Amino acid sequence: MSGAVMALNTVGACVVLFATLSVTTAKSEGVLTLFKTNTEEVQHVPMKYDSKNTVPKWLEGTLVRNAPALFELGGRSAIHVFDGFAKLHSVEIGPHLVNFSAAFLDTSAYTRSKKANRYAPALTFFGVDPPFSELERLDAFRYPYDNTDVNVWKYGHGEDSVYAALTDGWVYVKFDSETLASLGVSVPSVTGVKKSVATQSCAHPILEPGTTNNINYIQVPNMIPGQKQDYYVVRIKDLDTYEILATFQTDRASYMHSFALTENYAIFFAQPAYFDFIKIVETAMVSIDWVPEDKTTIILANIKTGEIQRLQTDAIFFTHHVNAYETANGTIVADIVQFEEGFAVFADYKLPQLRNLTSLHDKPAKSRLYRYTIDLANKTVQTKTFRSKSPMEDFLHKIEVPIINENYRTKHYCYVYGVIIDFSPSNPLNGSFAMVKKDLCTPGNDLYWYHPNHYVSEPSFVADPDGKAEDDGVLLSAVFDAELGKSYLLILDCKTMKAINTAYMPTYIPFGFHGRFFGKDWPV
């Protein structure tokens, strides 16, 4: 499967497109399968590569994707895609052999629901239909918010390694990386951090460069109106060993799905999207107030000294940081994907809308890449918005789920890879998703891959161990083929964005956001 590889070269106002495959305008209703329940659980089902193209010998490991996959149970349904029960999907990859596994996570939310044959009381993002009763809402807080359907990560190293599924709560569901069997739910205790039923964190820890440690944050809510909210920046050596690096407070608790890291700083954009903990307790749903008239506070926590510095910028709503680094002139560059319409963008992922072709087609990409240059000496913040008058070039600025070559984490870098999540038939690719390689150093030098009626997922960058350049490596993605109703592994050459090989899975992976490739030599 060649797909289409396209290069966007801009000279003045002239845009030239080079295509290897014509765009198909017909749209299949098969895309709706992405948002349907898939209860199939399998283990080590053989797959085969679809061509004789050589897969790099150094590409050995397992790609694990996390996705909500069960939305209805016993007459009660999730309303939002975020609230489907978590299911892991893995592709074990080698030069000549690939196989597929899939298994639901045995979380409290899932196991209680299966036992009762009905969506059991639990904290949800957007609720269930029919809704929980008042007694069920109270019962929901007896259990951890452990439907960890967002991301996967590896903690520790060697024989002490632990694989875990994550969400934005301070909770982990451990699993076996070979069988995907669940190994228990953990709500870690950290010395010096108060316990709370609604303790928050984020689903995107960052591997501390040059170590096997990870950096993340913990937010402990204060339920008393007017009281400060406490944050702890922590170094995670393994799921039993933590070190508090810095602490800070805010007036209200901001929703922060990710953060950034430089050599010296953990950087938090405390956006004016605030948790309403009183309403969360009343409704057993995540409640967030979007207050665009407030500023975003940029908080820089020095991970070596614990010192806190703050600056302000205009209100933004973001989900994903890309990367950040310190420059020779003392400034800090931070790249972020954000949404100009604010928190309302999450309503686009309600299941009734996603399962209707007309409303699905009315969902253009709303994300956009921004760059912030922070000058701590002069206490200033400069903002660059990636926009273009060219429709195609502007389209390529709308990436989401961004990833980089992790060897360039905290360093100056040029390439960010991501997906344009745009279902609109009027988009430049007629509603297909694009896998984008964005060149931040050379404007107009972006590349992208797509195939009509196929839907790529967040990529994973696997670096060539002998590579010298930033883009020496491959991208892995689980792609949904809406015509066949199956997903397949896509392996792309990062330099050219051309397909090296593909391999179909025996089923499909429902729509999800994140995953991770775990190589034999993780971390590299």
Side-chain angles (χ1 to χ4, degrees):
M1 180 181 301
S2 62
V5 181
M6 306 188 80
L8 184 61
N9 297 325
T10 307
V11 181
C14 178
V15 177
V16 185
L17 299 179
F18 303 92
T20 60
L21 187 67
S22 62
V23 175
T24 302
T25 56
K27 292 296 294 179
S28 165
E29 291 194 5
V31 64
L32 300 181
T33 301
L34 263 178
F35 311 104
K36 293 181 179 179
T37 286
N38 184 347
T39 59
E40 189 172 357
E41 295 181 277
V42 297
Q43 193 170 106
H44 302 310
V45 175
M47 302 160 57
K48 63 178 182 179
Y49 288 119
D50 296 315
S51 79
K52 295 183 180 179
N53 294 343
T54 301
V55 173
K57 293 181 179 180
W58 45 263
L59 182 60
E60 289 191 84
T62 303
L63 175 68
V64 181
R65 293 284 304 168
N66 195 345
L70 174 61
F71 303 100
E72 306 88 13
L73 191 61
R76 178 174 275 162
S77 303
I79 293 172
H80 197 279
V81 70
F82 291 176
D83 293 319
F85 290 110
K87 185 181 178 185
L88 299 181
H89 312 78
S90 71
V91 180
E92 187 178 355
I93 303 169
H96 307 292
L97 180 69
V98 279
N99 63 59
F100 176 80
S101 299
F104 281 96
L105 284 170
D106 288 333
T107 64
S108 165
Y110 178 73
T111 55
R112 287 185 294 109
S113 296
K114 290 292 286 186
K115 183 177 180 179
N117 193 32
R118 184 173 175 80
Y119 203 123
L123 183 64
T124 66
F125 215 91
F126 272 83
V128 292
D129 183 25
F132 295 133
S133 67
E134 184 175 351
L135 286 177
E136 286 177 315
R137 292 196 299 271
L138 290 172
D139 192 43
F141 289 95
R142 293 173 52 205
Y143 309 98
Y145 181 36
D146 66 355
N147 185 30
T148 50
D149 60 354
V150 180
N151 204 359
V152 291
W153 206 256
K154 181 181 178 181
Y155 295 93
H157 60 93
E159 296 181 355
D160 297 326
S161 297
V162 174
Y163 295 85
L166 312 178
T167 184
D168 286 328
W170 184 243
V171 60
Y172 303 90
V173 180
K174 303 172 187 178
F175 66 90
D176 185 301
S177 62
E178 293 187 8
T179 66
L180 301 185
S182 299
L183 301 176
V185 177
S186 174
V187 182
S189 295
V190 179
T191 301
V193 177
K194 295 177 291 186
K195 286 190 174 182
S196 169
V197 69
T199 299
Q200 301 297 306
S201 185
C202 86
H204 292 279
I206 299 177
L207 184 68
E208 190 173 8
T211 77
T212 57
N213 302 325
N214 291 275
I215 306 294
N216 206 337
Y217 79 92
I218 305 171
Q219 192 274 314
V220 180
N222 195 322
M223 302 294 187
I224 301 174
Q227 295 294 306
K228 298 284 188 179
Q229 306 296 323
D230 296 315
Y231 293 78
Y232 304 83
V233 183
V234 294
R235 174 180 288 129
I236 307 172
K237 297 183 178 181
D238 55 55
L239 289 187
D240 295 313
T241 310
Y242 303 86
E243 179 185 356
I244 297 175
L245 303 177
T247 63
F248 61 90
Q249 292 183 318
T250 60
D251 291 334
R252 301 183 66 179
S254 292
Y255 169 75
M256 293 186 288
H257 179 65
S258 65
F259 66 102
L261 188 70
T262 70
E263 181 181 352
N264 292 292
Y265 298 98
I267 304 173
F268 303 89
F269 278 61
Q271 58 192 346
Y274 305 121
F275 286 106
D276 185 335
F277 292 110
I278 301 300
K279 190 174 290 186
I280 290 173
V281 171
E282 291 175 347
T283 63
M285 291 189 291
V286 174
S287 179
I288 295 177
D289 297 329
W290 171 238
V291 188
E293 57 269 26
D294 283 4
K295 294 285 189 179
T296 291
T297 300
I298 303 174
I299 300 166
L300 299 100
N302 191 308
I303 60 174
K304 296 178 180 177
T305 68
E307 179 188 6
I308 302 296
Q309 298 187 63
R310 301 170 190 259
L311 299 90
Q312 287 196 323
T313 189
D314 291 338
I316 67 170
F317 182 77
F318 76 95
T319 49
H320 298 115
H321 282 262
V322 182
N323 192 19
Y325 57 90
E326 300 168 33
T327 68
N329 64 9
T331 61
I332 295 172
V333 173
D335 295 331
I336 300 179
V337 172
Q338 60 177 278
F339 300 86
E340 293 167 352
E341 69 176 59
F343 180 72
V345 69
F346 278 178
D348 287 351
Y349 293 98
K350 289 184 177 180
L351 287 166
Q353 297 180 34
L354 296 174
R355 290 173 169 178
N356 178 283
L357 198 61
T358 300
S359 61
L360 182 66
H361 282 174
D362 192 31
K363 297 194 182 307
K366 297 178 180 178
S367 51
R368 185 172 293 277
L369 184 62
Y370 281 67
R371 169 163 285 188
Y372 291 85
T373 302
I374 302 166
D375 187 335
L376 289 177
N378 295 305
K379 301 295 182 183
T380 61
V381 180
Q382 294 182 343
T383 306
K384 174 185 176 181
T385 307
F386 285 77
R387 297 187 191 278
S388 175
K389 293 181 180 179
S390 158
M392 187 69 234
E393 192 173 71
D394 195 61
F395 183 68
L396 297 181
H397 296 326
K398 298 180 179 182
I399 63 170
E400 239 291 42
V401 291
I403 61 103
I404 64 170
N405 179 342
E406 285 297 322
N407 292 321
Y408 288 77
R409 179 68 61 188
T410 76
K411 301 175 183 178
H412 178 272
Y413 73 117
C414 288
Y415 301 117
V416 53
Y417 307 86
V419 177
I420 301 175
I421 302 175
D422 189 322
F423 292 96
S424 171
S426 63
N427 81 30
L429 301 182
N430 301 93
S432 296
F433 285 9
M435 180 77 75
V436 177
K437 175 187 182 181
K438 175 161 285 296
D439 190 335
L440 301 175
C441 298
T442 309
N445 200 38
D446 299 341
L447 295 174
Y448 62 96
W449 182 97
Y450 85 104
H451 190 288
N453 215 18
H454 288 204
Y455 299 85
V456 295
S457 65
E458 174 199 55
S460 287
F461 184 100
V462 186
D464 181 343
D466 297 320
K468 304 298 182 184
E470 182 182 341
D471 57 353
D472 281 339
V474 299
L475 288 182
L476 307 179
S477 178
V479 184
F480 177 67
D481 180 339
E483 296 176 1
L484 295 182
K486 291 184 177 182
S487 296
Y488 61 88
L489 170 69
L490 170 66
I491 306 174
L492 290 177
D493 183 316
C494 289
K495 279 193 176 297
T496 64
M497 292 297 283
K498 292 181 179 181
I500 296 173
N501 221 321
T502 59
Y504 270 85
M505 305 171 197
T507 186
Y508 68 94
I509 300 177
F511 182 81
F513 290 95
H514 302 297
R516 194 82 179 175
F517 177 77
F518 301 110
K520 286 188 174 181
D521 297 321
W522 170 276
V524 178

